[in-house]
Structure formats: C-alpha cells, structure tokens
Amino acid sequence: MTSAYEPDPRRWKALTVTLVAGFMSLLDVSIVSVALPSIQHGLGTTPAGVQWVVSGYALAFGLTLVPAGRLGDAIGRRTMFLVALGGFVLFSALAGLAPTTGVLIAARLAQGISAGALAPQNSALIQQLFRGSERGRAFGFFGSTVGISTAVGPVVGGVILAVAGEDEGWRWIFYVNVPIGAVALVLAARLLPRARGGPRGHLDLVGAALLGTGVLAVMLPLVLAEAGGLTRLWWLFGLGAALLVLFVRWERRVAARGRSPLLDIALFTGTPGYGTGALLGTVYFVGFAGIWLVLALYFQTGLGYTPLQSGLAVTPFAVGSAASAVIGGRLVEKWGRKLTVTGLTLVLAGLAVTAVVLRFAPPHVAGWAVAPALLVAGVGGGWVISPNTTLTLRHVPVAMAGAAGGALQTGQRIGSAIGTAALTGVFYLVLTSTGRDFPVAVAVAVAGAVVAVALALVVAVVELRARPRCPAAVEGVEQAVPDAP
C-alpha cells in the first residue's frame, strides 16, 4: 500500500521538539563523566561503583536502539517517542533524588533504556516527515545535534558543577532534564503526527534476544575497561560474535518465511549505501567519541584544569561542528558522498595537528594553541555525521526506518565504546611507560583517533568510487513508500 507524500505543515516544529529531546538523551552519555568525582564523594561509593553510573547508561542505551526502533515502526513512532521521553524525564528525576549508589545505578539503567528507545524515533520521524532536499536539511540539524551533544557534555557538566557546587551539583545534572523534558513532552503530544493504521506484523522476540545478548557481550568488556573488563571478560567477544552470527541467520530465516524481522539483513546488501554508511559511522565514532575522555584526562589531570576549563578547551570543535552540520544538510543533495570525504579529510588534518600541538606546545598555552586545529576538525566533523546519516538512510523504506536508524546508531555506540576503551588505554599505557609524560601520552592517544578517522576515510572513498554520481541523480524521482505508522 503506497500513498503520495503530503508535507505535514507542522513538520519543522515537530523536528525542533524531537531534536531537543534527542539532545538531552545524547548529552547524558558524556555530561556525567565530569561529575564522577562529585558523585563518588557525595554518595561515599567506590570508583568501581560510580563507574556503573556511566557504563550502565551506555550499555542500556546501546542494547535498546534496534528493538525500540522496530517497535516504533510497528506500533507508531509518536507513541514510542512519548513513552520513551516520559520515562527519560521520570528516571532523570529519580537519578537526581537517589540516596544511594544502588538507586542511582538503577535509575541510570532505566534512563538509558528510555534514551535508547527515544533515539531511533528521531531519525525515523525525519524519514517519515521529510523528502528530497528538506530531508537533507533535517538530517543536517539532526547531525548537528549529535555532534554538539557529544562535544559539549563536559562544558555543560562543568558549568552546572560550578554553579551548583561540587557536593550536590551532580544532582542538578539530572534535574535539569526534568523541566526541559516536560515541556518537550507536552509539545510532542501536540505536534507529532499520529499513527496511520494498526500495528504491522509480529515482534521478532527471538531476534531481539539474540541481538541484545550479542551486543551486550561485545560492549560489556569495553565499557568496563577501566575496571579491568578487557582482562576479565575478553572471552565475551567470541560469545558476542557467535550470537551475532546466529542473529543474522535467524533474521534471514524470518524474512524467508515472509514474516517481519527485527532488522532486515537485506538492508546491508540490497539498499544502496546502507552497509558502507553503517560501517563508516561505526569506525568514525571510534576516533570521534574516543578523544573526549582522553582530552579531559589530559587537561584536568595533566594540566590541572577545572572541569569547566577542560570543557571550554574543546568548545571550538563543537562550534565548528554545529555550524558546518547545518550547511552540510544543504550541500548533501548536491555533493553526496564527496561531502563526507571532504569532512573526513578535514577531521583527519585537524586531529593530526592537534596531536602535534599537544605534544610540543608549552603546557600553559596548550588549551589556546590547540583551538584552531580543533575548529578545523569540528568543521569537518559536521560534514561527516549528518551527511552520512542522510546518505545511509535515504533509500531505506520508511516502514523500516526505525530499525534501520537504530542499527546505525548501535554501530555508533559500539564504535564509541571501542574508541573510549582503546584510546584511554593507550593514554594510560604511554603515561606509565614514559614516567607520566602527559604531552606524549595525549599525542599518541589522539594519533590513535587519527588512524580510526583515516580508516573511515578509506571506507568513504571506496563508497564514492562505487557510486560516483550525486545522490539526487541516482535517486531520481522520490519513490513511493509504504505509509509509516
């Protein structure tokens, strides 16, 4: 069943509301990191215990993405968005009120599930509400939101702690979500389009179980790397790989029987640009997400910056990314994959110069000296995330947009976990072997991020050579798509 596309007159207002909610959920991935010492002191817990405040959220977030995306496809994205946002607000309040570490960890797990259910609805609603060049612009704003939320988390956390105080300021990192989320919830209920028709197909519970346990097995050693997870839980990587192979075989079997799989594996081979785009996003996030903790460790531990000063030092990246992502949304229709190749080249150059500057600049000017290079890298970063999302999802049928967007973001979460564990591990390894030479340690770790970005650039170039024409020329007339819930 197909229908002509009729633009929703409130689509841009609806997008604004969903991006505000998405910003909050993604911000909570990084904002809490700067508050860990405050949480540990305030609740009197151990470093291992407080680490679960970050790790639990990241795990729950990553595990929920694909099943929640598919559920949104089936029962309606508006319904899933409202339920997820309501849960996020509720559990944010509970986290702020937490009297013990156990309650805080439980609240963060529930908050992560809510955020993971919320995230794929954003990209799916863009697929549903926009077409053509408008879709590129919408994904430009979406990509800007992803980039800014990841980069400014330490800045926002530092500001909140500076204003509210070290002892209880960490609670306001969670409380601030409540009023903003409540307003977004009311507006979303008014602006988001209602579902058309009833639920579609069955829910693939076996597929959800296989994918969830497989992703958990892969991510758990990574997110617990600082607590010795890689040493104690390395065997989970093999188990995770086996479960993911079983997941692929099961999904193919479900699709062959004419039923609705959790994630149609044919998307990776039969949908132009989806497989390479998902791979590019995963590899890029190894470098992109991995550098922020390394830079925070260098500025705060090595140079004695406050959390706020440390966050401000990396602000040029966020500013450059925010500005270029919006522009990139307008250019992606004309430039296609050339835009991500250009962006990755800028990121590569910016981070390479960053590594050199941090190695040789005098410590008292390092924060200022690195700003131009981070700005260049940020401009490039804005031409990677949102254009890649647009190009990866543009040919995906709207009926599968939630699951496809969830799978894309799951890859990004895994890439983030790998990058954070690997680059932080490299930083500490070099720091120990050089007698605590912080400039050398941070330079080597950032160089590791450069390698990851270089690999992403190779993937982008291969995709460009395989499909040299711009997306508008390839796509031609917007094809009819199934009515989306």
Side-chain angles (χ1 to χ4, degrees), residues 331-357:
L331 294 177
V332 68
E333 287 293 321
K334 181 178 180 180
W335 286 28
R337 186 56 73 185
K338 292 180 182 178
L339 188 61
T340 51
V341 170
T342 303
L344 286 165
T345 302
L346 290 175
V347 176
L348 188 67
L351 291 184
V353 174
T354 297
V356 174
V357 170

Side-chain angles (χ1 to χ4, degrees), residues 46-136:
T46 64
V50 79
Q51 181 61 36
W52 270 101
V53 176
V54 176
S55 302
Y57 185 90
L59 274 175
F61 191 110
L63 292 174
T64 309
L65 285 165
V66 176
R70 184 68 190 98
L71 192 59
D73 293 335
I75 69 172
R77 288 145 197 160
R78 179 181 183 275
T79 300
M80 279 298 297
F81 187 93
L82 294 177
V83 171
L85 181 55
F88 186 81
V89 172
L90 174 65
F91 295 121
S92 293
L94 179 59
L97 292 168
T100 65
T101 306
V103 174
L104 178 58
I105 291 173
R108 285 288 284 173
L109 287 170
Q111 194 186 25
I113 291 172
S114 299
L118 189 67
Q121 314 314 322
N122 276 329
S123 58
L125 283 165
I126 290 174
Q127 292 282 91
Q128 178 180 333
L129 291 172
F130 299 94
R131 297 289 187 276
S133 61
E134 279 196 345
R135 182 180 288 177

Side-chain angles (χ1 to χ4, degrees), residues 272-362:
Y274 185 81
T276 50
L279 176 61
L280 190 157
T282 300
V283 177
Y284 176 69
F285 266 75
V286 172
F288 169 70
I291 61 172
W292 304 117
L293 181 55
V294 168
L295 292 176
L297 287 169
Y298 172 66
F299 286 126
Q300 294 182 46
T301 307
L303 301 184
Y305 284 18
T306 66
L308 177 56
Q309 290 171 329
S310 174
L312 290 174
V314 299
T315 299
F317 189 103
V319 172
S321 179
S324 66
V326 175
I327 299 172
R330 299 176 183 271
L331 294 177
V332 68
E333 287 293 321
K334 181 178 180 180
W335 286 28
R337 186 56 73 185
K338 292 180 182 178
L339 188 61
T340 51
V341 170
T342 303
L344 286 165
T345 302
L346 290 175
V347 176
L348 188 67
L351 291 184
V353 174
T354 297
V356 174
V357 170
L358 292 177
R359 171 63 183 88
F360 295 106

Side-chain angles (χ1 to χ4, degrees), residues 47 49 63 92 144 151 161 197 211 259 278 298 352 355 363 403 424 428 430 456:
L63 292 174
S92 293
S144 180
L161 289 176
L211 179 63
R259 306 182 74 183
Y298 172 66
T424 305
Y428 280 123
V430 176

Side-chain angles (χ1 to χ4, degrees), residues 158-172:
V159 169
I160 292 174
L161 289 176
V163 172
E166 291 286 336
D167 291 336
E168 294 295 315
W170 66 268
R171 296 186 183 274
W172 287 96

